[in-house]
Amino acid sequence: MIKKCKTVNDDDDNDHTDTDASFGSTSNEEEEKEEAYINALIDEDSVLQYGDGTIKNGYSGTTSGYSPFLDKESYISTPKWFQPTKKFFHRRNERKVLRESKLNEMNEDGYGEMRRSSIGTVNSKRSYIKRVIKKPYRKLKKLITKDTTEPGTLILVRHGESIWNKNKTFTGWADPDLTIQGYREVEHAARLLMEGGYHYDIHVVFTSRLKRAIRSTWILLQEFNEVYLPVFKSWRLNERNYGALTGLSKTQTAERLGAELVQGWRGSLTKKPPPLDIKNDPIHYQQYYPGNDRKYADLTEDQIPLTESLKDCMIRTKPLWDDKIVYELKKGRNVLVVAHANTLRGLVKTIDDIGDEEIQNVQIPTGIPIIYKFKKDVDTGQLISIDDDDGGNSNLVSQVHMKGKFLEKPGLLKEALKLEEGWKARVPGYDPIMQRQIRPMTGLERSLYKLNAVRELGAWANEFIDLDMLKNNGDGKVGEDTDSNDDGNGIFFTTNGNGNNKIAPTTTAIVANNGRGDVGADIISDQEEDDVRGTNNDDEVSSSGGSNTQTKRQDSVIVIIRHGKTQHNKLGLFTGWEDAPLAEEGIEEAKLAGRNLKKFGFEFDVVYTSWLSRALETAWFVMDEMDCLWLPIVKTWRLNERMYGNLTGLSKQMVKQRHGEKQFKAWRRGFDVRPPPVSSFSKDYPGNDPRYQKYLRDVRYSIKESCIRSIEKGKPVLVRKLPKTESLKDCMDRTLPYFIERIEKDAIDQNKRVLISSSENAIRGLLMHLCDIPQDEITGLEIPNGLPLIYDIRSKCVKLLDDGTGRDPMEVYNFGTSAKYLFRPCQNEDGSLDEECSINYDSMDTSRPSISSKDQAILDEITGKTTKTKTTV
């Protein structure tokens, strides 16, 4: 069935203009008005109380934005004899509120769910019983044994250059994407990590809810070939909120208000820019207030800042460090954090216990990972950062006040890329060395080759440019800032080795946009002078009040999509658990699906997918087209494709020729027939894949496999029981319990809108459950690649979207012989036909189009068969 969906007109996109809130207006009257507005708010000592209870610091007047009960006072007098009882219940309520607050905080980015999944099973009752039984054992073990686990390694990476970084625009919680150079910077960071071998043992990733950080994370994981890693998107890692400065040009703001004032807002630890103000500038407030963006719908009003000082930003990041990152590090797990300059500075301040004055001299450059090693304090068990040079690695660079090590000297990549761009423009037929590839390579070989190419280019750069003198033109005047993305007051680096390669402190004169001097002295292009606001490119930038603005909520819905085509699909190979990436055609299918879902106004609250790259990539491209990369993605092995055993990687024609048509059909289409199993030492056995060794916890141990691995390693080890082959029934037996116990209870029953990206046989199991397809008919169901299947929970039927081509989806796509169970007439709760459901696929017109005679005949035939069946029963 095809359901017509109304579109949601995103009028907020029209608010991204250069008027009202911009200092670049051509009207002198508007300029004077806006300048007067800013001047009225710049007195840091004054406290302006507005009608909504918001004070000048941007937070509400409560003591803390994180403890909801600290500011409550009792204004009702109570008898003295009742006070002890009242205090008891008051403390009890406080503890309850604190527990609930702590639970919500743990799961705001999906982290609590991951912890629950890693220690429990799909059956929550069994999981609870297991925890109760194991609790005394864990307590006793903790008392009699000493924890000898070495702390994990922490890797910090700042996102690549964003569009607003390039435009020298105050960004904060606005949501611009990466530039081309930003992509290159993050790829370079990935190659540095791969060269040092740090990518092998990353267990968990934390990032913010902002697109530039999320996309940087994706680029890193793609380069590592580890997109299955758990990624948690926390608002606590968002960049510092610049309040009323958000979207304004740094250069022109400094020229109009004074460099000293603007630099005070940017470089000071405690000074705050003027807050967003709905009263004096409603358009700017509507455009950039984070509370208008549905990605922050789970936050309280107190948690959403109207402006922040650097210190506020650092305080905001600390709970994430205390409650989550430290826990993982103490367990010996390596943690990757991809975030922003100021939030990373906040983490660095906490880790190294850097003073308030000293932290202002710390900078976090883009494209260069920072590595932290730790030891445990013998008495307290607390983590202490150590000054580790990784065996005397001469490539490591340190910064004053920090014990973390940079994997490369700052400035090299940026200058190499600039030279390459210049040569490409000036030298006809120039072949960029970054794009050279002399033979087929593995992912690791390709990354290391490109890393060496950058260094080769950097060697040429050093012949023409003195990287240590980039901040000075040689005549004592400050030139163009080479690192305009950074905030701070100077970088002081030393390298490991003989100590002769020391980078001199930067000049005390301050360069615009990096917090080191006269902001108004920055040299910018004519185009940047004209473009005051970062929204000068509306096609590429969305602010926090843009396309994600909260709209009227849809009913709960399930959208199921099979991954786009892979090369294995195109060649007719059995894929199973083999991790085949999407082909170019599959990428386009996923993007088209995302565009169609966005066109019809679909929104989601959570995404579920498997641990296989093709399903993860499909989910990513759909979310990217829908501009909702911030959504939590729950990755589970239970949504993996069916395990094809020894048939994995073989051509279907080859299997048919070798084993006969009958056996081929039995293996491929039999409901409970398993193909031949793989060996325990086969490359196709999941037990040899790091992702299942590290993260799979919700299946029992295997005695046989444990014995085999113990003999192999020469010591006792416990190994989980993983499938060596599966029938379609086996695949459903692991998929359906997860859907019923987790997806239905945690999402659908909570009225959440769900996107599921998976593989054909896992989806067959879901549709068999949702659409009541008989067991002997399910193998006749075909699932097209990259096509969203809309399951309407209310009317319990599957619908398709119009792709805009005018073609009948039933003729374009092959759903197999069991399609009649998917596209039967939808019913209301009382069993009557849902007349809103139509086999017509005419699209965006809000009026109901007429049904063609051909479609009406099909509909009458289906309706007649259904009525006849009911009468017979």
Side-chain angles (χ1 to χ4, degrees):
M1 294 293 172
I2 298 88
K3 185 176 179 65
K4 291 194 303 175
C5 299
K6 295 182 180 179
T7 57
V8 179
N9 294 324
D10 192 2
D11 296 332
D12 290 326
D13 285 344
N14 299 327
D15 292 339
H16 295 271
T17 62
D18 294 337
T19 61
D20 294 324
S22 168
F23 288 114
S25 172
T26 57
S27 169
N28 292 331
E29 184 179 348
E30 289 182 357
E31 288 181 0
E32 292 174 1
K33 181 180 177 181
E34 290 155 354
E35 187 169 346
Y37 161 58
I38 294 293
N39 288 333
L41 298 175
I42 61 177
D43 183 6
E44 189 67 27
D45 297 328
S46 66
V47 178
L48 304 179
Q49 182 74 37
Y50 303 117
D52 60 355
T54 303
I55 61 174
K56 181 174 177 287
N57 65 1
Y59 292 93
S60 66
T62 58
T63 304
S64 168
Y66 311 125
S67 301
F69 57 83
L70 289 180
D71 300 284
K72 293 182 180 179
E73 296 182 9
S74 175
Y75 297 99
I76 303 175
S77 60
T78 53
K80 290 184 178 180
W81 60 268
F82 187 71
Q83 286 181 359
T85 306
K86 181 184 175 183
K87 287 181 180 178
F88 169 78
F89 285 106
H90 183 63
R91 284 195 298 268
R92 184 180 179 184
N93 289 335
E94 284 183 353
R95 288 195 296 269
K96 182 179 178 181
V97 171
L98 183 61
R99 281 195 304 270
E100 291 177 353
S101 176
K102 191 76 169 178
L103 183 61
N104 291 335
E105 174 65 30
M106 283 295 288
N107 207 35
E108 59 95 9
D109 53 4
Y111 181 77
E113 171 66 18
M114 189 276 287
R115 288 270 300 274
R116 181 163 72 100
S117 298
S118 66
I119 61 176
T121 64
V122 172
N123 189 312
S124 58
K125 183 177 179 181
R126 239 170 63 192
S127 174
Y128 175 77
I129 295 173
K130 185 185 292 186
R131 291 199 302 271
V132 170
I133 294 174
K134 285 189 173 183
K135 189 172 183 179
Y137 167 75
R138 290 198 184 103
K139 292 278 187 183
L140 182 62
K141 182 180 178 181
K142 191 174 181 180
L143 289 174
I144 63 177
T145 61
K146 185 178 180 180
D147 186 9
T148 58
T149 304
E150 289 292 325
T153 299
L154 176 65
I155 304 168
L156 305 179
V157 178
R158 182 184 172 189
H159 65 79
E161 179 192 65
S162 73
I163 295 170
W164 284 18
N165 290 146
K166 185 175 182 178
N167 290 340
K168 297 179 174 63
T169 303
F170 287 105
T171 308
W173 283 35
D175 207 14
D177 212 335
L178 298 182
T179 62
I180 297 299
Q181 178 167 315
Y183 275 79
R184 302 281 289 273
E185 288 173 345
V186 180
E187 288 176 343
H188 184 71
R191 292 161 193 155
L192 289 172
L193 289 168
M194 295 176 77
E195 180 188 45
Y198 296 102
H199 70 294
Y200 281 119
D201 296 318
I202 295 173
H203 287 75
V204 62
V205 184
F206 292 95
T207 188
S208 74
R209 295 191 190 179
L210 297 174
K211 188 186 301 178
R212 54 194 184 272
I214 298 171
R215 193 178 299 281
S216 296
T217 303
W218 177 257
I219 294 170
L220 288 169
L221 298 187
Q222 272 198 316
E223 201 75 17
F224 300 158
N225 195 26
E226 294 179 342
V227 293
Y228 59 85
L229 288 176
V231 178
F232 303 105
K233 304 161 188 173
S234 174
W235 68 280
R236 293 194 176 278
L237 287 176
N238 277 19
E239 179 57 290
R240 171 189 177 187
N241 191 313
Y242 277 103
L245 300 184
T246 303
L248 304 183
S249 166
K250 297 175 183 178
T251 305
Q252 293 194 13
T253 304
E255 289 175 351
R256 294 187 178 278
L257 300 182
E260 184 177 353
L261 173 63
V262 176
Q263 183 53 38
W265 288 332
R266 298 185 66 212
S268 171
L269 184 69
T270 57
K271 289 184 179 179
K272 304 176 178 68
L276 292 165
D277 182 9
I278 191 173
K279 182 178 179 181
N280 292 322
D281 195 351
I283 295 179
H284 197 71
Y285 179 92
Q286 177 67 22
Q287 193 171 3
Y288 295 115
Y289 174 56
N292 294 331
D293 194 327
R294 73 184 188 95
K295 68 165 66 82
Y296 306 115
D298 59 321
L299 303 186
T300 65
E301 188 176 349
D302 289 344
Q303 289 176 320
I304 300 177
L306 298 178
T307 185
E308 285 181 311
S309 66
L310 180 57
K311 189 172 184 178
D312 293 330
C313 180
M314 293 175 176
I315 292 173
R316 168 160 54 84
T317 62
K318 196 171 186 304
L320 183 79
W321 165 259
D322 291 336
D323 298 336
K324 299 176 183 179
I325 299 177
V326 168
Y327 173 85
E328 295 294 331
L329 292 173
K330 284 184 175 180
K331 291 290 185 181
R333 299 166 187 156
N334 298 336
V335 178
L336 171 64
V337 178
V338 184
H340 309 265
N342 287 305
T343 45
L344 292 179
R345 288 167 73 191
L347 289 177
V348 167
K349 185 180 189 300
T350 301
I351 294 168
D352 288 327
D353 195 21
I354 301 175
D356 291 351
E357 294 297 326
E358 289 78 8
I359 191 61
Q360 299 178 57
N361 298 322
V362 172
Q363 279 202 28
I364 311 293
T366 57
I368 305 175
I370 306 170
I371 307 298
Y372 268 97
K373 302 280 189 176
F374 300 91
K375 67 177 181 179
K376 284 185 182 178
D377 185 275
V378 178
D379 299 323
T380 64
Q382 298 300 311
L383 295 181
I384 302 174
S385 59
I386 58 177
D387 195 355
D388 185 83
D389 63 357
D390 196 20
N393 185 349
S394 59
N395 290 328
L396 298 182
V397 181
S398 62
Q399 184 174 178
V400 172
H401 309 307
M402 287 177 57
K403 293 180 182 176
K405 300 297 182 182
F406 294 80
L407 293 187
E408 187 179 74
K409 179 180 176 181
L412 177 63
L413 172 66
K414 190 164 292 187
E415 292 308 312
L417 292 178
K418 284 183 180 179
L419 280 180
E420 183 181 89
E421 288 300 316
W423 290 338
K424 285 169 63 178
R426 297 170 189 170
V427 181
Y430 171 73
D431 175 29
I433 61 174
M434 289 288 289
Q435 298 178 9
R436 279 191 243 146
Q437 188 164 320
I438 58 176
R439 61 180 178 83
M441 298 181 180
T442 65
L444 179 61
E445 287 175 332
R446 182 179 63 252
S447 293
L448 295 182
Y449 177 82
K450 290 186 176 181
L451 179 60
N452 288 331
V454 170
R455 288 174 175 163
E456 177 186 333
L457 192 57
W460 281 83
N462 275 321
E463 293 185 14
F464 301 102
I465 299 174
D466 185 355
L467 296 179
D468 296 342
M469 298 300 293
L470 287 172
K471 301 295 189 291
N472 196 297
N473 289 336
D475 57 0
K477 296 180 181 180
V478 178
E480 182 176 0
D481 179 22
T482 59
D483 199 7
S484 61
N485 298 343
D486 291 329
D487 291 317
N489 292 322
I491 306 179
F492 303 82
F493 290 96
T494 56
T495 57
N496 293 328
N498 56 19
N500 295 327
N501 202 10
K502 185 174 181 178
I503 301 179
T506 56
T507 175
T508 54
I510 305 179
V511 182
N513 299 314
N514 64 3
R516 278 169 278 185
D518 184 3
V519 182
D522 186 29
I523 300 175
I524 60 175
S525 66
D526 294 337
Q527 177 65 34
E528 289 169 337
E529 284 286 357
D530 295 335
D531 297 331
V532 181
R533 303 187 64 86
T535 52
N536 51 57
N537 193 337
D538 292 333
D539 292 335
E540 295 177 299
V541 182
S542 64
S543 72
S544 63
S547 60
N548 287 326
T549 301
Q550 294 188 50
T551 57
K552 184 177 179 181
R553 182 177 177 84
Q554 301 166 326
D555 292 334
S556 179
V557 67
I558 305 172
V559 176
I560 302 174
I561 182 170
R562 182 187 175 190
H563 61 78
K565 287 187 181 70
T566 66
Q567 288 296 339
H568 279 54
N569 294 140
K570 296 172 69 174
L571 296 174
L573 306 180
F574 284 104
T575 310
W577 285 29
E578 187 174 351
D579 205 10
L582 293 182
E584 288 298 322
E585 183 179 346
I587 292 174
E588 290 305 314
E589 288 172 339
K591 289 181 176 180
L592 177 61
R595 289 193 292 270
N596 278 333
L597 287 167
K598 183 177 182 179
K599 181 177 72 174
F600 282 92
F602 279 85
E603 292 180 344
F604 300 107
D605 299 303
V606 62
V607 179
Y608 290 89
T609 184
S610 72
W611 284 358
L612 300 174
S613 297
R614 53 192 184 272
L616 283 161
E617 289 176 351
T618 299
W620 169 267
F621 287 117
V622 169
M623 294 164 63
D624 195 13
E625 291 295 327
M626 297 181 69
D627 195 21
C628 58
L629 293 178
W630 53 271
L631 283 174
I633 303 178
V634 181
K635 306 169 186 177
T636 172
W637 73 278
R638 291 184 176 273
L639 290 177
N640 277 17
E641 176 58 289
R642 171 187 174 188
M643 171 58 182
Y644 276 108
N646 223 16
L647 302 184
T648 302
L650 298 181
S651 163
K652 294 171 185 176
Q653 289 295 331
M654 180 193 303
V655 173
K656 187 187 299 184
Q657 187 274 331
R658 289 174 60 183
H659 299 280
E661 179 81 16
K662 183 178 180 181
Q663 183 64 69
F664 168 76
K665 286 186 175 180
W667 284 337
R668 188 172 180 228
R669 294 299 187 186
F671 182 73
D672 53 4
V673 179
R674 295 171 180 165
V678 295
S679 161
S680 298
F681 299 99
S682 169
K683 66 179 180 61
D684 297 319
Y685 176 54
N688 297 321
D689 191 318
R691 75 191 75 182
Y692 304 107
Q693 296 171 357
K694 285 198 292 187
Y695 298 111
L696 198 145
R697 295 289 182 270
D698 56 348
V699 295
R700 67 175 179 84
Y701 290 107
S702 168
I703 297 176
K704 178 182 177 181
E705 290 300 317
S706 296
C707 292
I708 293 173
R709 300 300 174 181
S710 297
I711 294 172
E712 178 196 6
K713 295 182 180 297
K715 62 179 181 180
V717 292
L718 289 175
V719 179
R720 303 279 176 177
K721 182 177 178 60
L722 290 165
K724 295 183 176 181
T725 184
E726 284 182 319
S727 64
L728 179 57
K729 180 180 182 299
D730 295 329
C731 179
M732 294 180 181
D733 285 344
R734 61 170 160 83
T735 302
L736 288 181
Y738 184 86
F739 178 82
I740 295 169
E741 292 293 332
R742 287 293 172 85
I743 299 178
E744 283 190 349
K745 290 184 178 180
D746 295 347
I748 299 170
D749 292 349
Q750 306 302 319
N751 199 35
K752 292 183 179 180
R753 298 156 294 185
V754 177
L755 172 65
I756 300 175
S757 174
S758 187
S759 303
E760 184 173 37
N761 285 295
I763 293 175
R764 278 182 177 142
L766 299 181
L767 294 176
M768 180 178 175
H769 168 71
L770 294 171
C771 300
D772 299 323
I773 303 176
Q775 176 179 311
D776 57 346
E777 297 281 353
I778 190 60
T779 56
L781 182 65
E782 302 285 347
I783 312 295
N785 292 95
L787 180 68
L789 303 177
I790 318 301
Y791 180 77
D792 191 305
I793 296 174
R794 180 179 60 84
S795 53
K796 297 183 178 180
C797 60
V798 175
K799 304 164 188 178
L800 302 177
L801 298 178
D802 174 28
D803 61 4
T805 62
R807 302 174 301 175
D808 185 344
M810 301 299 292
E811 296 178 358
V812 175
Y813 300 104
N814 175 27
F815 292 95
T817 58
S818 299
K820 57 187 177 183
Y821 295 99
L822 293 185
F823 305 109
R824 52 191 172 189
C826 303
Q827 299 180 352
N828 295 315
E829 294 181 0
D830 60 0
S832 61
L833 290 180
D834 183 357
E835 296 182 357
E836 291 185 3
C837 288
S838 170
I839 203 164
N840 191 308
Y841 55 93
D842 204 354
S843 57
M844 305 298 293
D845 191 2
T846 55
S847 62
R848 187 179 182 91
S850 59
I851 300 177
S852 66
S853 57
K854 181 179 178 182
D855 288 342
Q856 185 63 55
I858 296 174
L859 182 61
D860 292 341
E861 181 182 356
I862 295 175
T863 305
K865 288 182 178 180
T866 305
T867 307
K868 184 178 179 180
T869 303
K870 285 185 176 181
T871 305
T872 304
V873 174

